[in-house]
Amino acid sequence: RKWVSSTPIDPHDLPADSVESALERITLRLEQKHGVKLVSHALALICASRFGLSELELEDILSLDDEVLNEVYVGFLPDVRRFPSHYWARLRADLDLIVVERGAHLLLTFHHVSSFEFFRKRYSALVDKMHAVLVEYFSGVWSNKPKPFTNSSAVVKAHKAEKEGTVLRQGPSEPLLYHES
């Protein structure tokens, strides 16, 4: 960011006095820019995973999350009920300060242990819920099977969409096997 003498000073741009306050500021900016549900669910999923998640896994799992989809779909309603990749690309670009790709499989995980601890504490109830979501995903519960959904009242009103239904979310078959043992 370039500063000039006429740049208005936003208190959020001033240096933080601790790691926690810096992470709090980053989180509030992310939630304001990308939506509370999307940011909290994505970060809680990374917390709930043991070694991290790939970007494709995150997109697939967010495609199964009606709370996130209802937040994203207020502005538009696509033909396929799936998390839009361009939303993830925007969020991923802004997560560079706290999330890093590690390992041969490029799994997304937190850059520092302090970040992991902060988000695990901040989203503690949600992290527990995301464990169940990860189990469903990796055991293939919704692979090639329609998943029920409930549209928010805002989505129903904005798009004259049905309130409830079932739809195939186009997730991969799980568990993925790279070789037979």
Side-chain angles (χ1 to χ4, degrees):
R1 181 176 190 168
K2 294 185 178 187
W3 294 85
V4 294
S5 61
S6 61
T7 301
I9 297 175
D10 182 354
H12 291 103
D13 291 333
L14 298 175
D17 56 356
S18 69
V19 172
E20 289 80 18
S21 64
L23 288 170
E24 182 69 29
R25 287 180 182 181
I26 291 168
T27 306
L28 292 174
R29 280 191 197 150
L30 289 170
E31 289 177 346
Q32 183 180 26
K33 183 175 180 180
H34 300 284
V36 174
K37 294 288 184 193
L38 174 55
V39 172
S40 63
H41 287 220
L43 293 173
L45 281 165
I46 295 170
C47 280
S49 66
R50 186 170 180 186
F51 299 111
L53 295 168
S54 72
E55 291 191 38
L56 290 175
E57 289 168 339
L58 266 168
E59 282 187 39
D60 287 339
I61 296 167
L62 291 172
S63 294
L64 296 170
D65 191 333
D66 285 328
E67 290 180 48
V68 171
L69 294 179
N70 282 329
E71 182 178 74
V72 170
Y73 287 167
V74 172
F76 71 101
L77 191 60
D79 296 331
V80 177
R81 191 168 179 84
R82 190 149 168 81
F83 183 73
S85 296
H86 63 279
Y87 274 76
W88 172 250
R90 284 188 223 148
L91 176 58
R92 176 65 182 98
D94 289 340
L95 286 175
D96 275 344
L97 291 172
I98 52 177
V99 172
V100 66
E101 292 177 337
R102 292 193 191 202
H105 300 292
L106 299 176
L107 300 178
L108 294 175
T109 187
F110 292 103
H111 202 288
H112 298 284
V113 173
S114 57
S115 299
F116 169 75
E117 290 170 353
F118 173 83
F119 290 110
R120 186 180 60 189
K121 182 178 175 184
R122 180 180 177 93
Y123 301 124
S124 61
L126 194 53
V127 169
D128 293 339
K129 179 182 169 187
M130 292 302 137
H131 277 288
V133 171
L134 288 172
V135 168
E136 280 186 354
Y137 175 73
F138 285 109
S139 62
V141 170
W142 300 113
S143 295
N144 301 316
K145 190 165 135 186
K147 182 179 189 292
F149 69 88
T150 303
N151 280 320
S152 68
S153 55
V155 171
V156 171
K157 184 178 178 183
H159 305 289
K160 297 179 177 60
E162 55 192 37
K163 181 71 176 161
E164 295 178 340
T166 59
V167 68
L168 195 63
R169 307 290 176 102
Q170 297 183 343
S173 297
E174 293 288 348
L176 289 176
L177 296 176
Y178 294 105
H179 61 82
E180 293 289 330
S181 302

mmCIF file of all heavy atoms in Angstrom, residues 3-25:
data_model
loop_
_atom_site.group_PDB
_atom_site.id
_atom_site.type_symbol
_atom_site.label_atom_id
_atom_site.label_comp_id
_atom_site.label_asym_id
_atom_site.label_seq_id
_atom_site.Cartn_x
_atom_site.Cartn_y
_atom_site.Cartn_z
ATOM 1 N N TRP A 3 1.462 5.135 0.767
ATOM 2 C CA TRP A 3 0.999 6.204 1.637
ATOM 3 C C TRP A 3 1.485 7.542 1.086
ATOM 4 O O TRP A 3 2.619 7.676 0.672
ATOM 5 C CB TRP A 3 1.567 6.029 3.041
ATOM 6 C CG TRP A 3 1.058 4.807 3.729
ATOM 7 C CD1 TRP A 3 1.545 3.550 3.621
ATOM 8 C CD2 TRP A 3 -0.048 4.731 4.606
ATOM 9 N NE1 TRP A 3 0.815 2.681 4.379
ATOM 10 C CE2 TRP A 3 -0.173 3.384 5.007
ATOM 11 C CE3 TRP A 3 -0.959 5.658 5.107
ATOM 12 C CZ2 TRP A 3 -1.153 2.947 5.880
ATOM 13 C CZ3 TRP A 3 -1.937 5.222 5.977
ATOM 14 C CH2 TRP A 3 -2.031 3.893 6.355
ATOM 15 N N VAL A 4 0.593 8.506 1.086
ATOM 16 C CA VAL A 4 0.957 9.878 0.740
ATOM 17 C C VAL A 4 0.460 10.769 1.866
ATOM 18 O O VAL A 4 -0.326 10.346 2.716
ATOM 19 C CB VAL A 4 0.348 10.305 -0.624
ATOM 20 C CG1 VAL A 4 0.944 9.488 -1.756
ATOM 21 C CG2 VAL A 4 -1.153 10.180 -0.619
ATOM 22 N N SER A 5 0.883 12.000 1.863
ATOM 23 C CA SER A 5 0.523 12.891 2.976
ATOM 24 C C SER A 5 -0.975 13.112 3.091
ATOM 25 O O SER A 5 -1.486 13.400 4.168
ATOM 26 C CB SER A 5 1.245 14.226 2.838
ATOM 27 O OG SER A 5 0.859 14.856 1.629
ATOM 28 N N SER A 6 -1.696 12.945 2.002
ATOM 29 C CA SER A 6 -3.142 13.183 2.050
ATOM 30 C C SER A 6 -3.950 11.905 2.329
ATOM 31 O O SER A 6 -5.168 11.943 2.357
ATOM 32 C CB SER A 6 -3.603 13.795 0.727
ATOM 33 O OG SER A 6 -3.332 12.889 -0.333
ATOM 34 N N THR A 7 -3.263 10.775 2.547
ATOM 35 C CA THR A 7 -3.962 9.516 2.808
ATOM 36 C C THR A 7 -4.660 9.606 4.158
ATOM 37 O O THR A 7 -4.016 9.893 5.176
ATOM 38 C CB THR A 7 -2.971 8.335 2.817
ATOM 39 O OG1 THR A 7 -2.315 8.289 1.560
ATOM 40 C CG2 THR A 7 -3.694 7.028 3.084
ATOM 41 N N PRO A 8 -5.981 9.386 4.183
ATOM 42 C CA PRO A 8 -6.670 9.401 5.482
ATOM 43 C C PRO A 8 -6.215 8.196 6.319
ATOM 44 O O PRO A 8 -5.997 7.108 5.804
ATOM 45 C CB PRO A 8 -8.152 9.284 5.120
ATOM 46 C CG PRO A 8 -8.194 8.859 3.707
ATOM 47 C CD PRO A 8 -6.871 9.144 3.085
ATOM 48 N N ILE A 9 -6.063 8.424 7.618
ATOM 49 C CA ILE A 9 -5.596 7.362 8.498
ATOM 50 C C ILE A 9 -6.802 6.626 9.065
ATOM 51 O O ILE A 9 -7.664 7.215 9.706
ATOM 52 C CB ILE A 9 -4.735 7.934 9.636
ATOM 53 C CG1 ILE A 9 -3.485 8.576 9.046
ATOM 54 C CG2 ILE A 9 -4.373 6.839 10.637
ATOM 55 C CD1 ILE A 9 -2.612 9.268 10.058
ATOM 56 N N ASP A 10 -6.829 5.334 8.792
ATOM 57 C CA ASP A 10 -7.850 4.452 9.345
ATOM 58 C C ASP A 10 -7.220 3.755 10.544
ATOM 59 O O ASP A 10 -6.138 3.181 10.428
ATOM 60 C CB ASP A 10 -8.263 3.432 8.277
ATOM 61 C CG ASP A 10 -9.362 2.490 8.738
ATOM 62 O OD1 ASP A 10 -9.742 2.544 9.920
ATOM 63 O OD2 ASP A 10 -9.831 1.687 7.909
ATOM 64 N N PRO A 11 -7.870 3.775 11.706
ATOM 65 C CA PRO A 11 -7.285 3.118 12.882
ATOM 66 C C PRO A 11 -6.948 1.640 12.644
ATOM 67 O O PRO A 11 -6.041 1.107 13.244
ATOM 68 C CB PRO A 11 -8.364 3.249 13.952
ATOM 69 C CG PRO A 11 -9.227 4.361 13.507
ATOM 70 C CD PRO A 11 -9.129 4.422 12.016
ATOM 71 N N HIS A 12 -7.651 1.009 11.727
ATOM 72 C CA HIS A 12 -7.375 -0.396 11.429
ATOM 73 C C HIS A 12 -6.057 -0.582 10.679
ATOM 74 O O HIS A 12 -5.532 -1.680 10.596
ATOM 75 C CB HIS A 12 -8.520 -1.014 10.623
ATOM 76 C CG HIS A 12 -9.763 -1.153 11.425
ATOM 77 N ND1 HIS A 12 -10.815 -0.297 11.288
ATOM 78 C CD2 HIS A 12 -10.098 -2.028 12.403
ATOM 79 C CE1 HIS A 12 -11.764 -0.642 12.124
ATOM 80 N NE2 HIS A 12 -11.360 -1.683 12.820
ATOM 81 N N ASP A 13 -5.519 0.508 10.125
ATOM 82 C CA ASP A 13 -4.263 0.425 9.391
ATOM 83 C C ASP A 13 -3.044 0.626 10.283
ATOM 84 O O ASP A 13 -1.923 0.419 9.849
ATOM 85 C CB ASP A 13 -4.233 1.471 8.269
ATOM 86 C CG ASP A 13 -5.218 1.149 7.159
ATOM 87 O OD1 ASP A 13 -5.521 -0.046 6.967
ATOM 88 O OD2 ASP A 13 -5.678 2.087 6.494
ATOM 89 N N LEU A 14 -3.271 1.046 11.522
ATOM 90 C CA LEU A 14 -2.156 1.267 12.437
ATOM 91 C C LEU A 14 -1.633 -0.071 12.938
ATOM 92 O O LEU A 14 -2.354 -1.066 12.976
ATOM 93 C CB LEU A 14 -2.621 2.135 13.610
ATOM 94 C CG LEU A 14 -3.100 3.538 13.223
ATOM 95 C CD1 LEU A 14 -3.650 4.262 14.437
ATOM 96 C CD2 LEU A 14 -1.972 4.335 12.595
ATOM 97 N N PRO A 15 -0.362 -0.129 13.315
ATOM 98 C CA PRO A 15 0.205 -1.399 13.783
ATOM 99 C C PRO A 15 -0.554 -1.947 14.982
ATOM 100 O O PRO A 15 -1.017 -1.205 15.841
ATOM 101 C CB PRO A 15 1.636 -1.015 14.175
ATOM 102 C CG PRO A 15 1.917 0.265 13.500
ATOM 103 C CD PRO A 15 0.598 0.959 13.330
ATOM 104 N N ALA A 16 -0.661 -3.266 15.031
ATOM 105 C CA ALA A 16 -1.343 -3.929 16.130
ATOM 106 C C ALA A 16 -0.380 -4.073 17.310
ATOM 107 O O ALA A 16 0.830 -4.076 17.143
ATOM 108 C CB ALA A 16 -1.828 -5.301 15.672
ATOM 109 N N ASP A 17 -0.936 -4.190 18.514
ATOM 110 C CA ASP A 17 -0.088 -4.300 19.695
ATOM 111 C C ASP A 17 0.180 -5.750 20.100
ATOM 112 O O ASP A 17 0.943 -6.005 21.016
ATOM 113 C CB ASP A 17 -0.697 -3.525 20.862
ATOM 114 C CG ASP A 17 -2.115 -3.954 21.181
ATOM 115 O OD1 ASP A 17 -2.668 -4.797 20.456
ATOM 116 O OD2 ASP A 17 -2.679 -3.446 22.166
ATOM 117 N N SER A 18 -0.435 -6.704 19.416
ATOM 118 C CA SER A 18 -0.179 -8.121 19.700
ATOM 119 C C SER A 18 -0.548 -8.955 18.483
ATOM 120 O O SER A 18 -1.231 -8.472 17.567
ATOM 121 C CB SER A 18 -0.982 -8.586 20.920
ATOM 122 O OG SER A 18 -2.362 -8.616 20.598
ATOM 123 N N VAL A 19 -0.115 -10.201 18.475
ATOM 124 C CA VAL A 19 -0.455 -11.110 17.378
ATOM 125 C C VAL A 19 -1.965 -11.290 17.311
ATOM 126 O O VAL A 19 -2.563 -11.265 16.232
ATOM 127 C CB VAL A 19 0.253 -12.479 17.566
ATOM 128 C CG1 VAL A 19 -0.239 -13.490 16.555
ATOM 129 C CG2 VAL A 19 1.756 -12.304 17.478
ATOM 130 N N GLU A 20 -2.596 -11.452 18.483
ATOM 131 C CA GLU A 20 -4.049 -11.652 18.520
ATOM 132 C C GLU A 20 -4.801 -10.461 17.953
ATOM 133 O O GLU A 20 -5.761 -10.629 17.207
ATOM 134 C CB GLU A 20 -4.528 -11.952 19.952
ATOM 135 C CG GLU A 20 -4.123 -13.306 20.466
ATOM 136 C CD GLU A 20 -2.676 -13.353 20.954
ATOM 137 O OE1 GLU A 20 -2.076 -12.270 21.217
ATOM 138 O OE2 GLU A 20 -2.132 -14.463 21.045
ATOM 139 N N SER A 21 -4.375 -9.257 18.304
ATOM 140 C CA SER A 21 -5.088 -8.078 17.783
ATOM 141 C C SER A 21 -4.851 -7.927 16.278
ATOM 142 O O SER A 21 -5.748 -7.495 15.552
ATOM 143 C CB SER A 21 -4.701 -6.808 18.544
ATOM 144 O OG SER A 21 -3.347 -6.499 18.372
ATOM 145 N N ALA A 22 -3.661 -8.292 15.806
ATOM 146 C CA ALA A 22 -3.405 -8.251 14.360
ATOM 147 C C ALA A 22 -4.292 -9.263 13.643
ATOM 148 O O ALA A 22 -4.906 -8.941 12.613
ATOM 149 C CB ALA A 22 -1.931 -8.543 14.076
ATOM 150 N N LEU A 23 -4.383 -10.479 14.178
ATOM 151 C CA LEU A 23 -5.243 -11.501 13.566
ATOM 152 C C LEU A 23 -6.714 -11.106 13.642
ATOM 153 O O LEU A 23 -7.486 -11.374 12.722
ATOM 154 C CB LEU A 23 -5.008 -12.857 14.234
ATOM 155 C CG LEU A 23 -3.670 -13.519 13.909
ATOM 156 C CD1 LEU A 23 -3.429 -14.725 14.799
ATOM 157 C CD2 LEU A 23 -3.616 -13.909 12.440
ATOM 158 N N GLU A 24 -7.096 -10.452 14.714
ATOM 159 C CA GLU A 24 -8.479 -9.975 14.853
ATOM 160 C C GLU A 24 -8.794 -8.952 13.764
ATOM 161 O O GLU A 24 -9.837 -9.017 13.120
ATOM 162 C CB GLU A 24 -8.686 -9.375 16.241
ATOM 163 C CG GLU A 24 -10.102 -8.903 16.502
ATOM 164 C CD GLU A 24 -11.104 -10.035 16.603
ATOM 165 O OE1 GLU A 24 -10.732 -11.144 17.018
ATOM 166 O OE2 GLU A 24 -12.286 -9.805 16.247
ATOM 167 N N ARG A 25 -7.887 -8.027 13.527
ATOM 168 C CA ARG A 25 -8.089 -7.019 12.483
ATOM 169 C C ARG A 25 -8.162 -7.661 11.096
ATOM 170 O O ARG A 25 -9.007 -7.307 10.281
ATOM 171 C CB ARG A 25 -6.966 -5.997 12.502
ATOM 172 C CG ARG A 25 -7.031 -5.048 13.658
ATOM 173 C CD ARG A 25 -5.897 -4.069 13.597
ATOM 174 N NE ARG A 25 -5.925 -3.180 14.749
ATOM 175 C CZ ARG A 25 -5.064 -2.210 14.933
ATOM 176 N NH1 ARG A 25 -4.115 -1.976 14.045
ATOM 177 N NH2 ARG A 25 -5.140 -1.447 15.993
#
